[in-house]
């Protein structure tokens, strides 16, 4: 099983929508997929589940069927993690539900990170809680886990990223995303370096994530389109992405000028599909599964077909990096 995190410390780039649609697409293509919501805002969970389902998940302070419920024994100092119930979305798709209470784990994780240097076993149990939760929640046939995290460089995201094998960076073609890349890249490398050192001090009887966090590429989201081309306001930012990604994330020289359309690290240039998203939210399904009965009529039908093709191609590229076969 491969765990792929979708991460950008710049918010508002469509990250959660990307994870949601890719999870559905992988499942559609026969890949046994698990979506994990490690963003304390729990927006991914809200996209997957109807309001009445959310009410049943979050009835009181315990929330045993969510991520928060799973780590609550550690928070209370009463034991190790429990395993949340995996919400079955389809036979090929499961969800580990998020929870606003997860934000309470931030301080615990912040304290644990330096204590791992002292070979503190309890600190290692805290730092690996997400990894062990993911491994324990995955069924035997699970091939791919998609991890949604919040837009920051805090302790919760550090623990979530350590639990990932690969990282996909969603971007918007704007100044803020480029600045985000410049912060994100060095931080990932620092986390990777320190975790490799800490693994030498870890207890031998506790399952440890390798903390690879391999950057596999970026996805440009919500780019404005006019006659199938990015509008001029975004063109200069698109042009700068390949260079900044190499320098900041890969720590490599950028070399000759690169075109984002042919950059091998560019996994996709995704349209916004503005007209489809409200219909998809009302129908509680991905945009590419919309039907006439959902209001996808006229020009919407062509947009739905295009959306399906875009996400299918993106899923294939991510699957190839993860070593997962699609189309089963």
């Amino acid at each position: 099983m491969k765990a792929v995190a979708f991460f950008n410390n710049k918010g508002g780039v469509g990250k959660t929508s990307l994870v949601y649609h890719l999870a559905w697409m992988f499942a559609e293509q026969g890949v046994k997929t698990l979506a994990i919501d490690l963003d304390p805002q729990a927006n991914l969970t809200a996209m997957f589940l109807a309001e009445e389902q959310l009410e049943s998940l979050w009835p009181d302070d315990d929330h045993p069927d969510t991520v928060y419920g799973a780590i609550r024994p550690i928070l209370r100092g009463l034991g190790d993690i429990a395993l949340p119930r995996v919400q079955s979305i389809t036979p090929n798709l499961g969800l580990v539900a998020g929870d606003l209470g997860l934000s309470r784990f931030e301080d615990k994780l912040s304290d644990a990170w330096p204590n791992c240097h002292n070979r503190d076993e309890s600190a290692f149990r805290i730092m690996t809680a997400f990894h062990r939760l993911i491994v324990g929640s995955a069924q035997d046939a699970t091939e791919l886990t998609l991890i949604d995290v919040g837009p920051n460089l805090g302790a919760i995201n550090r623990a979530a990223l350590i639990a990932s094998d690969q990282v996909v960076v969603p971007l918007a073609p704007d100044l803020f995303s480029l600045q985000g890349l410049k912060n994100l890249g060095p931080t990932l490398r620092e986390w990777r370096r320190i975790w490799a050192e800490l693994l030498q001090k870890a207890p031998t009887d506790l399952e440890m994530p390798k903390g690879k966090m391999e950057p596999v590429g970026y996805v440009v989201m919500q780019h404005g389109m006019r006659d199938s081309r990015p509008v001029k306001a975004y063109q200069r930012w698109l042009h700068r992405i390949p260079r900044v990604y190499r320098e900041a994330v890969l720590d490599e020289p950028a070399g000759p000028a690169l075109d984002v359309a042919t950059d091998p690290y560019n996994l996709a240039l995704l349209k916004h599909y503005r007209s489809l998203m409200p219909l998809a939210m009302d129908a509680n399904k991905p945009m590419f599964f919309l039907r006439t009965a959902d209001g996808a009529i006229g020009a919407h039908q062509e947009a739905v077909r295009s959306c399906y093709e875009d996400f299918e191609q993106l899923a294939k590229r991510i699957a190839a990096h993860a070593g997962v076969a699609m189309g089963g």
Side-chain angles (χ1 to χ4, degrees):
M1 180 193 71
K2 284 290 181 68
V4 182
F6 293 76
F7 180 49
N8 190 337
N9 61 303
K10 162 69 172 67
V13 296
K15 170 184 56 65
T16 298
S17 176
L18 176 64
V19 177
Y20 174 78
H21 283 84
L22 279 171
W24 275 101
M25 179 56 71
F26 280 120
E28 163 78 359
Q29 295 292 320
V31 177
K32 191 79 171 180
T33 304
L34 180 65
I36 307 267
D37 191 351
L38 295 183
D39 182 348
Q41 295 188 36
N43 290 324
L44 181 66
T45 301
M47 291 189 76
F48 270 113
L49 302 179
E51 190 168 332
E52 56 271 18
Q53 293 174 291
L54 296 175
E55 287 186 33
S56 67
L57 277 175
W58 303 330
D60 50 40
D61 288 338
D62 292 331
H63 299 188
D65 294 333
T66 73
V67 169
Y68 171 64
I71 55 96
R72 196 162 184 262
I74 289 180
L75 277 174
R76 300 177 64 196
L78 298 178
D80 204 356
I81 62 166
L83 289 182
R85 181 169 65 89
V86 176
Q87 309 293 319
S88 179
I89 308 300
T90 75
N92 279 337
L93 178 56
L95 168 71
V96 174
D99 197 308
L100 275 69
L102 184 60
S103 59
R104 301 181 190 179
F105 202 27
E106 188 84 30
D107 289 344
K108 201 87 168 176
L109 287 166
S110 294
D111 293 340
W113 182 251
N115 288 335
C116 287
H117 288 281
N118 300 325
R119 303 179 185 272
D120 185 330
E121 182 172 342
S122 64
F124 277 104
R125 288 190 177 277
I126 293 168
M127 286 305 306
T128 62
F130 289 154
H131 167 71
R132 293 181 292 117
L133 183 153
I134 290 168
V135 172
S137 298
Q139 305 300 313
D140 291 338
T142 299
E143 300 173 81
L144 194 60
T145 296
L146 306 184
I147 306 172
D148 189 29
V149 297
N152 60 71
L153 298 174
I156 287 177
N157 284 356
R158 180 172 56 195
L161 268 292
I162 285 170
S164 69
D165 298 300
Q166 298 177 330
V167 180
V168 173
V169 182
L171 297 170
D174 57 31
L175 172 63
F176 299 102
S177 279
L178 290 177
Q179 289 299 115
L181 275 182
K182 293 176 182 179
N183 294 326
L184 180 151
T187 300
L188 280 181
R189 292 197 299 276
E190 182 72 358
W191 289 349
R192 192 184 301 116
R193 181 188 65 79
I194 294 176
W195 186 247
E197 295 175 0
L198 292 177
L199 284 177
Q200 307 305 312
K201 304 176 180 181
T204 57
D205 59 346
L206 189 64
E207 183 172 358
M208 291 284 154
K210 294 182 174 62
K212 292 180 179 178
M213 297 177 269
E214 175 195 358
V216 299
Y218 58 87
V219 179
V220 181
M221 305 285 292
Q222 302 178 1
H223 56 295
M225 299 296 290
R226 180 181 299 161
D227 297 329
S228 299
R229 293 176 297 174
V231 296
K232 288 184 179 180
Y234 297 121
Q235 188 64 52
R236 60 175 178 152
W237 303 119
L238 281 173
H239 181 70
R240 292 176 59 183
I241 287 174
R243 177 179 62 81
V244 175
Y245 183 82
R246 279 167 173 75
E247 292 175 347
V249 178
L250 303 181
D251 197 23
E252 297 176 356
L258 293 164
D259 181 3
V260 68
T262 57
D263 183 6
Y265 294 111
N266 171 27
L267 301 175
L269 286 168
L270 291 181
K271 305 177 187 68
H272 192 286
Y273 295 113
R274 295 179 187 276
S275 61
L276 296 184
M277 185 56 80
L279 296 177
M281 293 177 67
D282 288 342
N284 197 32
K285 62 173 62 170
M287 294 182 290
F288 48 69
F289 281 167
L290 290 170
R291 299 292 180 261
T292 302
D294 302 315
I297 58 178
H300 283 146
Q301 293 181 343
E302 178 57 34
V304 168
R305 284 191 291 270
S306 177
C307 183
Y308 187 97
E309 292 170 0
D310 286 346
F311 275 96
E312 183 181 32
Q313 289 302 312
L314 173 56
K316 286 180 178 178
R317 291 180 179 177
I318 293 174
H321 282 287
V324 173
M326 281 180 54

